[in-house]
Amino acid sequence: MNSKGRKPIIAGNWKMNKTLEEAKKLAIEVKNNTLARAPEVEVVICPPFTALTEVASIIKGSHVKLGAQNCHWKDSGAFTGEISPIMLKDVGCEYVIVGHSERRQYFGETDEIVSMKAKAALAHGLSPIVCVGEHLEHREKGMTKDIIRGQVIGSLRGIEAEEILRAVVAYEPVWAIGTGKTATPEQAQEVHAFVRNLLIDLYGLEVALKVRIQYGGSVKPANIAALMSEVDIDGALVGGASLEAIQFAEIVSYEAKGK
Ligand code: 13P
């Protein structure tokens, strides 16, 4: 728990990377290299589906938690190529990323779909990491808050107060993903505070203050400390830098200076 009263959560989104052998090696390294920080920071890794079972057995009983990168909203059935929340829970996942901008952009996921996925994940005891984020043209046109408002309200539709406490919101500006262009801590904090205010409107102050909001987009060892020093930034969703154990461990070991 930090001075904000929320346990920081650093999650690695491996995206479509790592063969089974590579994933196993990385999971072992992450487990060993992040152990020292385990009491203060929640560490999550989200390998591709093909590596979930093996990675689960590597991190079992350790401080590292398992997440998936996507799920379907139905329990089972004729949905070729899809994976249900029940299956993810069955192999040891505790988290699942839903509504990542790459899913929204390349696979047509709408806020309605994202909310169905988040609801289904919660119904099966998984914690959804619900992603929102504006594109560069939105930011340049001054539309960031309108976009984020729509995505937060739409993606959390139907989620009750007791459920949102088990969820995480991730703010990932699309222009900062994989580009090396991080939002400045001030830019990120401004949107995180805005998301927090939306959560207050939806769930009330007491609940909203307990919900963790992660930042994602070119998070690296060099910029994590400044981001984590902001009052409404409770963790990071790390892409590229999570594919290399030493870099990821350095991110987990950030030293935040409270503001
Ligand atoms: P990068 O850290 O590679 O910018 O990716 C961020 C991301 O999309 C995490 O979900």
Side-chain angles (χ1 to χ4, degrees), residues 13 15 97 100 102 172 176-179 216-220 237-241:
N13 174 9
K15 306 191 179 181
I97 299 169
H100 191 280
E102 288 149 17
E172 299 204 304
I177 295 178
T179 57
S218 297
V219 172
K220 306 283 178 228
L237 187 53
V238 186

Side-chain angles (χ1 to χ4, degrees), residues 156 164 169 195-204 208 211 213:
L156 299 181
I164 195 71
V169 178
V195 172
R196 181 94 52 212
N197 280 324
L198 292 170
L199 294 173
I200 293 172
D201 292 345
L202 292 171
Y203 300 107
V211 178
I213 309 173

Side-chain angles (χ1 to χ4, degrees), residues 25-42:
K25 182 168 175 283
L26 180 56
I28 293 168
E29 290 170 353
V30 167
K31 182 171 79 165
N32 294 338
N33 288 317
T34 59
L35 180 60
R37 199 63 200 279
E40 300 118 78
V41 177
E42 193 169 346

